[in-house]
Amino acid sequence: VAIAMVIRLFVGSVMLLATAAVGVLVAPLVGGIAAVVVLGVLLLSARSTRGATSLGQVMSERLAGFGAALSDSLASVRVMRAHGAEAAWLDLVGAEAGRVRDVRRTYVVRSSMVSASMGVVAVAAVLGLILLGRHVGLSLAELATLIVIAMRLLTNGQQVLLSAQQFANDVP
């Protein structure tokens, strides 16, 4: 899984760079601005990767606690049944599972917020490119090409960012 994530990050980064190069070749000014904007957004979003790493570390600790509670309880199931402590066991395992679920929920919410933010940036960037392209006198064909390139650039950027987050979260 780790190798697949690293390959996905590498391929996504190469695609991002290639798409940016095509944008710059089609219209140096507007394509260059688009590439710089996407790079800036990715750099600003890099903080979310550090947060994913810390959540991954907490998740590892919580999963260890959950596993310990489960294995300890299963090892002493006869003693629990003899003393009628099944409810206490269910409470313990349920509490540990809830702690794991809370960390996972936090990761999903943060990842979703980054994804939604990138979507808003994508719409704003495409609108800005259209306005800038019209202002500098690009033809309709050049504008259409730049819009397609910008959308691919933003999509690739979002995939690289989400892959980096997932990798950072899963490494611990």
Side-chain angles (χ1 to χ4, degrees), residues 2-50:
I3 291 171
M5 285 184 198
V6 169
I7 290 171
R8 191 176 7 214
L9 273 169
F10 176 75
V11 170
S13 298
V14 168
M15 291 297 296
L16 187 65
L17 292 173
T19 305
V22 170
V24 170
L25 288 174
V26 169
L29 175 66
V30 179
I33 290 172
V36 168
V37 167
V38 169
L39 181 62
V41 168
L42 288 176
L43 290 176
L44 289 174
S45 300
R47 284 184 15 178
S48 65
T49 303
R50 287 188 291 268

Side-chain angles (χ1 to χ4, degrees), residues 19-120:
T19 305
V22 170
V24 170
L25 288 174
V26 169
L29 175 66
V30 179
I33 290 172
V36 168
V37 167
V38 169
L39 181 62
V41 168
L42 288 176
L43 290 176
L44 289 174
S45 300
R47 284 184 15 178
S48 65
T49 303
R50 287 188 291 268
T53 300
S54 63
L55 282 174
Q57 292 166 341
V58 172
M59 178 64 104
S60 294
E61 294 166 7
R62 301 259 171 106
L63 281 172
F66 177 67
L70 204 57
S71 63
D72 289 349
S73 299
L74 291 175
S76 58
V77 74
R78 287 186 181 155
V79 175
M80 273 192 300
R81 293 185 110 195
H83 293 287
E86 294 92 347
W89 174 76
L90 287 174
D91 290 343
L92 174 70
V93 172
E96 291 295 329
R99 292 177 56 177
V100 170
R101 185 178 49 250
D102 291 344
V103 173
R104 190 65 183 164
R105 182 180 299 129
T106 301
Y107 170 72
V108 169
V109 166
R110 286 184 186 176
S111 295
S112 299
M113 287 176 58
V114 169
S115 183
S117 299
M118 287 289 288
V120 170

